[in-house]
Amino acid sequence: MPARTNKTPSARPKIGQRNTRQRAAVQDALEGITTFASAQDIHLMLTNNGQKVGLTTVYRTLQQLSDLGAIDTLHDSSGETLYRSCAMETHHHHLVCTNCRTTVEIDGGPVEAWAEETAAKYGFKKSGHTAEIFGLCESCVDK
């Protein structure tokens, strides 16, 4: 897996009219985690670190980053949206532990060709796809 790169504030995407201290704090929090996290998880992390960022600002920033394609999102089994700043900058998929949320980035392999072929078979021009694998990581299986 490629190493996570440290992004400088100037390399961050512009969100809305201006990049505020609160938005920068959300981006810093995302860069500091390696698992998918909910907006509530990120808000709690910020609060515990003494950052004064409202939950609405966290949600808004995450949505804007997602819309820009700057972060990955997925929905867990309850339908909650989870967010992550990924190390891979190219299209990829994830293995996600349903217990501890450990996440491994993987390339799509044969999924990529299957998605393209399936779309074409039904007359679709594919604009994107998602494929995540959920289960238990090795550590959680051993417990």
Side-chain angles (χ1 to χ4, degrees):
M1 179 177 355
R4 182 178 300 275
T5 58
N6 290 331
K7 298 174 187 162
T8 61
S10 61
R12 291 185 174 152
K14 184 171 181 186
I15 307 168
Q17 295 299 315
R18 58 193 172 104
N19 286 332
T20 64
R21 175 192 56 79
Q22 294 90 349
R23 290 176 179 159
V26 172
Q27 290 176 298
D28 288 344
L30 281 167
E31 291 173 9
I33 58 176
T34 58
T35 62
F36 277 93
S38 69
Q40 293 88 351
D41 294 336
I42 294 166
H43 181 256
L44 180 61
M45 182 187 336
L46 291 167
T47 301
N48 289 343
N49 288 333
Q51 299 279 342
K52 294 191 187 301
V53 180
L55 183 56
T56 301
T57 299
V58 173
Y59 272 108
R60 188 177 302 117
T61 301
L62 292 171
Q63 184 60 55
Q64 290 169 331
L65 288 169
S66 176
D67 291 347
L68 291 170
I71 59 173
D72 280 351
T73 62
L74 64 85
H75 300 281
D76 68 8
S77 60
S78 72
E80 182 175 31
T81 303
L82 304 176
Y83 306 88
R84 182 169 188 259
S85 177
C86 292
M88 293 177 78
E89 293 186 14
T90 58
H91 178 76
H92 61 280
H93 302 280
H94 303 95
L95 296 169
V96 182
C97 180
T98 55
N99 185 50
C100 70
R101 292 189 183 160
T102 290
T103 305
V104 177
E105 295 176 13
I106 57 173
D107 69 33
V111 169
E112 304 306 319
W114 171 83
E116 197 68 47
E117 291 165 9
T118 302
K121 177 180 174 183
Y122 291 96
F124 279 70
K125 171 112 175 92
K126 184 178 72 66
S127 61
H129 69 274
T130 61
E132 314 306 333
I133 302 172
F134 296 91
L136 294 176
C137 68
E138 189 174 5
S139 296
C140 288
V141 167
D142 290 343
K143 289 181 184 174

